[in-house]
Amino acid sequence: MDKVRFGIVGIGNMGSSHAKYLAQGTVQGAKLTAICDNRPERLTWAKENLGEEVRLFDNVEAMYASGEIDAVLIATPHYDHPTLAIQAFQHGLHVLCEKPAGVYTKQVREMNEAAGKTDKIFGMMYNQRTNPLYQKLRDLVTSGELGEIRRTNWIITNWYRPQSYYDSGGWRATWAGEGGGVLLNQDPHQLDLWQWTVDMMPVRVRAFCAFGKYHNIEVEDDVTAYVEYDNGATGLFVTTTGEAPGTNRYEVTGDRGKIVIEDGTMTFWRLRVSERQFNAEYKGGFGQPECWKCEIPIVGRETGHSGITQNFTDAILKGTPLLAPGVEGIKGLTLSNAMHLSSWLDDWVQLPIDEDLYYEKLQEKIRNSKFVKVTKEMTMNTDGTY
């Protein structure tokens, strides 16, 4: 195989974006050959903008069985991700899945098990893993340069969304349609990076979610979560879609210093000796370790969605290691599920979570919902977005 033939399921905002860069030949070794969407207007847009060579389908089974594709990029609403991925594996297709991996870990675990039974490549669209700042942070942590992790703190509140955003789709911001709010829609990248950069998951979570605090929605739009790690470290995650102007500041502290990523830059305050060593050896009344503000070389540039798709294509054609393996999608989702569950139970939640209990509580939310969704059609832009 010298070309990976891609089919895309779902041509909404993200699906149309993926379709455009694939159709333009941005990804070497990849070719867009098929599109599937059950909305006639989206297929009309695809026909007008993606070229005559791209086949159009309104049935995913037909596209999977067509022989026109080698890999599928799934860009549908969240609940469908695992089901569509499992179907694709059964048809012998490679799978690249948009975030989040799913809505609840029980269904994602089934997707991972299906992937494990094949020799096909399975990737997640965690495009922010291509950001060299986060790659360097992971490098500094895993190499031991920062020492033992003491604290993680991510304030990610620059997700402001007006009410019109939530009104733009019938599935948005409902338990039945989306399965959550800011944690499921906006934050999957940060939740993934949070555990990926420090290379560890918490052991327990206590979260406080506010549901419909700033918008007429039934899911969370404001979250403050506290976590504890096995080594005694603690962490804080704060997020919302109702705050303007927002902040995006990620801080990781170890016993050898502190790293802050904010405004597209990294700052590393490095201790000359570890805090533990200084604490044991210093004999004065007041004092602290000598600290250097270090310039860290950042190599490369963020390649985003097309970068992940290029890496995925290279994994198929050349055996290149995946930057974002699909089986790792369950980790960030575990964090959001734990935050929901902690808030619903008003208590601590241990990890790994009780998957059956989470599913039961989610179904209760769906079953008992009294929320009336009001949908207002938005105007489609010429680039296929709204």
Side-chain angles (χ1 to χ4, degrees):
M1 182 190 302
D2 60 357
K3 280 278 188 187
V4 178
R5 300 172 301 162
F6 274 85
I8 299 178
V9 185
I11 307 298
N13 279 345
M14 285 313 309
S16 58
S17 174
H18 294 310
K20 283 183 288 185
Y21 68 69
L22 280 168
Q24 292 164 2
T26 301
V27 178
Q28 300 300 307
K31 182 179 181 181
L32 181 64
T33 56
I35 291 293
C36 182
D37 201 297
N38 58 12
R39 297 166 295 178
E41 70 274 14
R42 301 309 296 160
L43 293 178
T44 298
W45 176 88
K47 183 177 181 179
E48 294 173 349
N49 291 272
L50 300 178
E52 295 296 329
E53 293 184 357
V54 179
R55 284 195 60 185
L56 306 181
F57 294 87
D58 60 8
N59 178 280
V60 71
E61 183 70 23
M63 186 178 80
Y64 284 177
S66 68
E68 298 283 345
I69 64 174
D70 307 302
V72 60
L73 200 166
I74 298 169
T76 61
H78 311 153
Y79 275 104
D80 295 332
H81 291 180
T83 301
L84 290 168
I86 291 170
Q87 281 183 263
F89 289 130
Q90 291 171 345
H91 280 274
L93 300 171
H94 304 284
V95 174
L96 180 56
C97 184
E98 258 294 352
K99 57 79 181 170
V103 173
Y104 49 94
T105 56
K106 188 174 182 178
Q107 64 172 178
V108 173
R109 194 171 303 282
E110 293 172 355
M111 176 174 66
N112 287 353
E113 289 171 356
K117 295 176 182 177
T118 77
D119 61 353
K120 300 305 176 183
I121 301 300
F122 178 31
M124 280 296 300
M125 186 53 77
Y126 281 143
N127 52 283
Q128 292 196 26
R129 286 196 187 189
T130 70
N131 189 324
L133 289 172
Y134 298 117
Q135 292 178 356
K136 178 55 71 172
L137 173 58
R138 176 177 166 85
D139 171 46
L140 292 170
V141 170
T142 58
S143 67
E145 187 69 29
L146 195 57
E148 185 176 17
I149 299 301
R150 294 284 187 78
R151 189 183 311 280
T152 65
N153 188 350
W154 204 328
I155 303 174
I156 174 70
T157 59
N158 61 343
W159 288 128
Y160 183 77
R161 294 292 187 273
Q163 184 64 40
S164 59
Y165 167 83
Y166 293 107
D167 294 343
S168 68
W171 65 283
R172 287 194 191 280
T174 62
W175 294 117
E178 192 164 18
V182 63
L183 292 174
L184 264 289
N185 193 313
Q186 284 76 34
D187 283 317
H189 291 299
Q190 283 70 41
L191 292 173
D192 171 63
L193 291 172
W194 192 22
Q195 59 80 27
W196 183 67
T197 52
V198 298
D199 199 30
M200 61 180 184
M201 288 279 286
V203 293
R204 67 175 191 157
V205 175
R206 182 66 175 99
F208 302 87
C209 300
F211 305 99
K213 182 176 182 179
Y214 299 114
H215 306 88
N216 181 29
I217 59 176
E218 65 176 350
V219 294
E220 80 286 350
D221 58 1
D222 188 86
V223 179
T224 299
Y226 174 82
V227 304
E228 294 180 350
Y229 298 92
D230 190 52
N231 70 343
T234 60
L236 189 68
F237 191 85
V238 179
T239 190
T240 183
T241 56
E243 194 171 296
T247 297
N248 185 356
R249 177 183 173 92
Y250 182 28
E251 183 173 308
V252 181
T253 301
D255 67 1
R256 301 264 332 176
K258 177 177 71 175
I259 295 175
V260 176
I261 295 178
E262 187 173 21
D263 296 329
T265 62
M266 172 185 287
T267 306
F268 183 13
W269 284 275
R270 187 183 189 279
L271 301 183
R272 186 172 185 179
V273 299
S274 75
E275 181 279 328
R276 290 290 79 192
Q277 179 182 343
F278 182 85
N279 183 71
E281 296 176 352
Y282 184 69
K283 303 305 179 186
F286 293 91
Q288 57 183 317
E290 183 177 336
C291 183
W292 307 330
K293 184 178 180 181
C294 300
E295 295 292 333
I296 303 298
I298 304 298
V299 179
R301 62 181 181 84
E302 183 174 3
T303 55
H305 298 102
S306 62
I308 289 292
T309 308
Q310 183 68 69
N311 172 250
F312 176 77
T313 301
D314 290 343
I316 296 171
L317 297 178
K318 307 173 185 177
T320 302
L322 285 173
L323 180 58
V327 293
E328 294 184 10
I330 199 169
K331 294 181 178 180
L333 184 64
T334 295
L335 294 174
S336 64
N337 280 185
M339 291 177 193
H340 277 150
L341 189 57
S342 173
S343 193
W344 293 340
L345 299 175
D346 194 21
D347 201 357
W348 286 93
V349 167
Q350 304 290 325
L351 269 64
I353 67 169
D354 184 332
E355 294 181 341
D356 291 326
L357 178 60
Y358 182 85
Y359 180 76
E360 174 189 326
K361 293 296 182 182
L362 177 61
Q363 296 310 303
E364 284 181 12
K365 291 288 182 184
I366 296 171
R367 192 166 53 248
N368 298 330
S369 174
K370 300 293 193 297
F371 182 72
V372 178
K373 177 71 175 181
V374 177
T375 304
K376 300 177 182 178
E377 187 173 342
M378 298 179 71
T379 303
M380 185 173 67
N381 302 317
T382 56
D383 64 356
T385 62
Y386 289 93

